[in-house]
């Protein structure tokens, strides 16, 4: 993978301290430690606001994680495209079916280490059903799903447990959704 903010000498260290400062200033704390898996899909939920993004970046910097996130391709156009990629972004063209699941599973197969952050809502708007691409990517790539969260009620971000998808998406989604039952996003 290309160099990101998480792997840029000196800048990463400076950003680590900036992240600590701003998280503390806003009253937020990162709970727990980074998962030890070398490769996994990291659910980012609830995803209800643009504030989720700096919290995710700050949490990753504080925990010294090298994360990559999927975003709509329009975020990667000039003039912000280079910055989005440097912040770990991977462009996804949502206007057509281009088999993102297969492509991402292949990237996992070729990488020694890879963390891909995926918000299952697929948008910041309120949704009743999550998109299941994160699940299919993890199942096809044979990597764990780690449940990352933001909780505005406790002003924490952190991680829940991880598990390998069984292939029974209905059963596994019940377990995943249960974890997020008491997590509150930004209004």
């Amino acid at each position: 993978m290309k160099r990101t903010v998480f792997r840029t000498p000196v800048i990463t260290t400076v950003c680590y301290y900036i992240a600590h400062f701003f998280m503390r200033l806003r009253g937020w704390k990162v709970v727990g430690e980074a998962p030890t898996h070398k490769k996994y899909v990291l659910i980012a939920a609830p995803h209800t606001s643009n504030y989720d993004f700096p919290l995710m970046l700050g949490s990753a910097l504080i925990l010294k994680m090298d994360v990559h996130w999927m975003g709509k391709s329009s975020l990667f156009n000039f003039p912000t495209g280079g910055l989005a990629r440097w912040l770990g972004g991977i462009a996804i063209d949502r206007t057509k079916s281009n088999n993102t699941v297969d492509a991402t599973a292949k990237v996992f197969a070729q990488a020694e280490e890879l963390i891909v952050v995926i918000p299952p809502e697929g948008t910041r708007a309120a949704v009743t059903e999550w998109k299941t691409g994160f699940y299919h990517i993890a199942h096809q790539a044979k990597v764990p799903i780690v449940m990352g969260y933001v909780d505005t009620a406790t002003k924490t971000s952190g991680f829940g447990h991880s598990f390998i998808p069984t292939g029974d998406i209905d059963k596994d989604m019940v377990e995943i959704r249960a974890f997020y039952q008491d997590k509150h996003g930004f209004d």
Side-chain angles (χ1 to χ4, degrees):
M1 304 283 334
K2 295 183 178 185
R3 181 172 287 185
T4 65
V5 65
F6 309 107
R7 289 190 178 211
T8 304
V10 179
I11 302 266
T12 302
T13 303
V14 170
C15 288
Y16 168 86
Y17 288 108
I18 291 171
H20 264 288
F21 174 77
F22 280 106
M23 293 284 268
R24 208 172 282 153
L25 181 70
R26 302 292 297 163
W28 281 81
K29 60 185 169 190
V30 179
V31 178
E33 297 178 5
T36 57
H37 309 290
K38 290 189 180 278
K39 299 192 253 190
Y40 55 94
V41 170
L42 177 60
I43 297 176
H47 180 43
T48 57
S49 165
N50 285 332
Y51 292 118
D52 299 339
F53 184 72
L55 277 170
M56 181 271 298
L57 285 178
S59 299
L61 285 161
I62 288 168
L63 294 175
K64 300 181 179 176
M65 299 169 66
D66 181 15
V67 301
H68 298 271
W69 49 274
M70 294 181 163
K72 59 185 174 183
S73 58
S74 62
L75 294 172
F76 296 85
N77 295 334
F78 184 81
T80 58
L83 177 62
R85 282 183 282 283
W86 185 66
L87 292 174
I90 302 167
I92 301 298
D93 185 356
R94 299 187 304 183
T95 62
K96 58 185 174 192
S97 176
N98 51 9
N99 217 343
T100 303
V101 171
D102 288 343
T104 308
K106 285 179 187 172
V107 172
F108 267 109
Q110 295 167 354
E112 271 187 53
E113 295 183 16
L114 181 61
I115 304 165
V116 177
V117 180
I118 303 174
E121 293 94 342
T123 181
R124 291 178 311 277
V127 297
T128 55
E129 290 294 319
W130 282 1
K131 295 184 180 292
T132 56
F134 75 92
Y135 182 90
H136 295 294
I137 289 168
H139 185 255
Q140 188 169 327
K142 296 178 177 54
V143 298
I145 295 173
V146 174
M147 289 177 263
Y149 68 90
V150 168
D151 187 6
T152 59
T154 60
K155 283 195 156 186
T156 58
S157 66
F159 305 98
H161 62 285
S162 63
F163 68 95
I164 300 287
T166 65
D168 183 348
I169 190 168
D170 294 329
K171 176 181 159 276
D172 290 348
M173 287 300 287
V174 168
E175 180 180 341
I176 292 168
R177 294 300 296 247
F179 172 79
Y180 289 100
Q181 201 70 16
D182 65 345
K183 306 297 186 271
H184 304 280
F186 290 92
D187 295 327

